[in-house]
Amino acid sequence: MSPRSIGVVMNGVTGRMGYRQHLVRSVLAINEQGGVALSDGERVLLRPVLVGRSAAKLEKLATDHGIADWTTDLDAALADDDNLIYFDAQVTQARVKAVLKAIEAGKHIYAEKPTAETVEDALALADAAEAKGIKNGVVQDKLFLPGLLKLKRLIDGGFFGRILSVRGEFGYWVFEGDWQAAQRPSWNYRAEDGGGIVLDMFPHWAYVLENLFGRVNSVYAQAVTHIPERVDEQGETYTATADDAAYGVFELEGGIIAQINSSWSVRVNRDELVEFQVDGTHGSAVAGLRNCRFQHRAATPKPVWNPDLPVTARFRDDWQEVPDNAEFDNGFKIQWEMFVRHVLEDAPFPHDFASGARGVRLAELGLQSSAEGRRLVVEP
Ligand SMILES: NC(=O)c1ccc[n+]([C@@H]2O[C@H](COP(=O)([O-])OP(=O)(O)OC[C@H]3O[C@@H](n4cnc5c(N)ncnc54)[C@H](O)[C@@H]3O)[C@@H](O)[C@H]2O)c1
């Protein structure tokens, strides 16, 4: 007997995330491995139905990957009862309208973050999904990065003692587009098109902080546009109306202070594009995308401040690597498998639209905090 397959409407697959991480590295990779394994051993294949605005691009994608179904007619794809799941990786601005349509059609929904541009819309999506009784999920891929899984292992093992603080550094130089092409789409730098680093990254920080350390109780942020003018995909100069860096301080449940810098205007002098340093009474750790190094209190050196002498200690040599102890799969794929199990056999999936809305709320409060120059409480 051939395995069962379910239709998955995928909107926005010509984009960076939709194509690489969701179509190729998740849905097609899952099929290559024989489908999603359910708890009773059954395997379920995913039948992608590509949706977008450009027939030519969709047809090429379908041909390149041997995919039978594609359409520019979202309504038609949603009307097909064999399509159980709707997935959205469109530009953020296009998300709410399409997701509401899919909820109305009774599809289970999985969506990229942020789920919406405003808290009001994000909560409206969560409410509509609940009212319709459909399963809903938001991409929270950073939780499945090997580096953060190792950090979680340290936390769960009680390594840190009492956690005091978290310091995150995220970012890299995104070229302005004049003498070297920008490596991110230009809409990210226009507020009117749903861009901005706060709206992009604070939803990530919300679920990372919440899942590893505790919910965010307050936020102070300073969002800035360091590079006021950029050049787009067509070679046209445009005004960057959105923030390209944000310096945030978050107070967490239990009194932990998290500081996270997010920037597309910073040059990397780190081992990874994102790193979180966690300091606790019994030990510290620095987690990146893949690796996590730690220092126990017993191995902590005792530096003495003396600017008259050259530094001879090599502080970074005193840290140890957390071993892999496991095989780490692509985080996007893991979350896809979790969501399909959630839909088909009600397996747990905490990354729902309500948690997506908390991410959007943190972004909204971050921007408000920056505009008003004050710390804001995050209402529970
Ligand atoms: N989880 C993550 O780590 C992560 C990383 C980057 C982006 N994202 C999110 O993924 C989404 C897509 O980002 P991307 O970097 O892939 O962008 P992209 O510009 O590469 O792709 C956007 C997609 O939306 C489509 N699109 C563009 N304008 C549209 C419009 N007006 N109406 C309908 N569709 C339109 C495009 O054709 C394309 O398929 C965003 O919401 C972004 O916040 C998530």
Side-chain angles (χ1 to χ4, degrees):
M1 209 177 79
S2 54
R4 174 157 66 118
S5 79
I6 57 168
V8 179
V9 177
M10 300 187 76
N11 200 356
V13 275
T14 58
R16 277 183 338 139
M17 299 308 293
Y19 176 67
R20 182 87 209 130
Q21 293 303 339
H22 294 288
L23 181 63
V24 175
R25 302 272 285 139
S26 297
V27 168
L28 297 180
I30 286 169
N31 287 343
E32 270 164 37
Q33 73 183 22
V36 176
L38 302 185
S39 56
D40 63 1
E42 188 196 351
R43 291 264 182 180
V44 177
L45 295 173
L46 307 178
R47 184 176 51 77
V49 179
L50 310 184
V51 176
R53 297 167 303 162
S54 159
K57 285 186 190 166
L58 293 171
E59 187 175 19
K60 175 161 187 338
L61 259 185
T63 310
D64 286 353
H65 294 282
I67 295 168
D69 302 302
W70 62 267
T71 176
T72 54
D73 185 348
L74 175 61
D75 295 322
L78 293 177
D80 185 340
D81 288 340
D82 288 341
N83 297 335
L84 221 56
I85 294 174
Y86 171 76
F87 170 70
D88 194 299
Q90 296 184 95
V91 285
T92 308
Q93 226 168 34
R95 183 119 60 241
V96 173
K97 190 169 154 224
V99 168
L100 282 174
K101 230 182 214 192
I103 293 174
E104 196 45 47
K107 305 300 166 196
H108 302 292
I109 321 269
Y110 187 41
E112 257 297 354
K113 50 51 63 182
T115 49
E117 287 180 283
T118 65
V119 182
E120 196 185 345
D121 279 351
L123 289 172
L125 289 187
D127 289 347
E130 198 188 335
K132 193 78 178 178
I134 53 116
K135 302 264 177 35
N136 51 92
V138 58
V139 175
Q140 298 189 334
D141 53 291
K142 306 287 176 273
L143 293 176
F144 304 91
L145 289 167
L148 292 202
L149 289 171
K150 290 173 187 174
L151 178 59
K152 177 90 167 73
R153 204 190 284 157
L154 292 181
I155 295 169
D156 292 347
F159 167 76
F160 291 104
R162 184 166 63 84
I163 294 179
L164 310 172
S165 62
V166 180
R167 277 181 297 144
E169 276 293 336
F170 163 84
Y172 45 93
W173 192 265
V174 175
F175 281 92
E176 298 90 327
D178 47 3
W179 65 291
Q180 290 194 54
Q183 68 272 41
R184 290 176 59 79
S186 61
W187 65 265
N188 285 282
Y189 304 91
R190 290 187 296 265
E192 62 276 23
D193 290 337
I197 203 162
V198 171
L199 185 59
D200 191 8
M201 297 315 295
F202 279 32
H204 284 298
W205 307 149
Y207 70 74
V208 166
L209 293 172
E210 174 177 320
N211 280 275
L212 292 177
F213 308 106
R215 284 209 192 173
V216 180
N217 285 340
S218 79
V219 54
Y220 169 76
Q222 194 148 351
V224 287
T225 308
H226 287 304
I227 308 290
E229 210 168 65
R230 291 177 176 269
V231 175
D232 69 12
E233 292 80 358
Q234 283 72 44
E236 301 289 335
T237 300
Y238 65 96
T239 304
T241 47
D243 42 290
D244 60 11
Y247 307 91
V249 181
F250 310 89
E251 207 177 333
L252 311 184
E253 276 173 323
I256 299 172
I257 305 298
Q259 272 176 275
I260 305 181
N261 294 328
S262 317
S263 180
W264 289 316
S265 316
V266 67
R267 296 187 176 85
V268 181
N269 183 1
R270 285 170 247 133
D271 290 336
E272 308 207 47
L273 296 190
V274 66
E275 281 186 346
F276 297 95
Q277 172 158 343
V278 181
D279 288 295
T281 50
H282 289 184
S284 297
V286 178
L289 298 169
R290 298 210 66 83
N291 298 319
C292 182
R293 45 189 199 279
F294 66 98
Q295 185 172 86
H296 188 258
R297 66 196 300 215
T300 304
K302 191 189 272 186
V304 176
W305 180 263
N306 186 349
D308 297 328
L309 293 177
V311 178
T312 51
R314 295 166 63 90
F315 294 112
R316 295 180 100 197
D317 291 352
D318 296 327
W319 295 69
Q320 279 175 278
E321 282 292 335
V322 177
D324 283 356
N325 287 1
E327 288 216 3
F328 298 104
D329 206 346
N330 177 291
F332 290 90
K333 175 163 157 261
I334 294 173
Q335 225 194 333
W336 263 96
E337 292 173 315
M338 285 175 67
F339 186 70
V340 171
R341 288 191 200 107
H342 180 53
V343 167
L344 296 180
E345 55 182 12
D346 211 18
F349 192 86
H351 321 286
D352 58 7
F353 278 5
S355 76
R358 289 197 289 279
V360 177
R361 181 191 318 216
L362 192 63
E364 203 168 278
L365 287 173
L367 288 171
Q368 189 188 338
S369 159
S370 180
E372 297 176 3
R374 65 191 180 98
R375 185 172 72 95
L376 294 175
V377 170
V378 180
E379 300 296 342

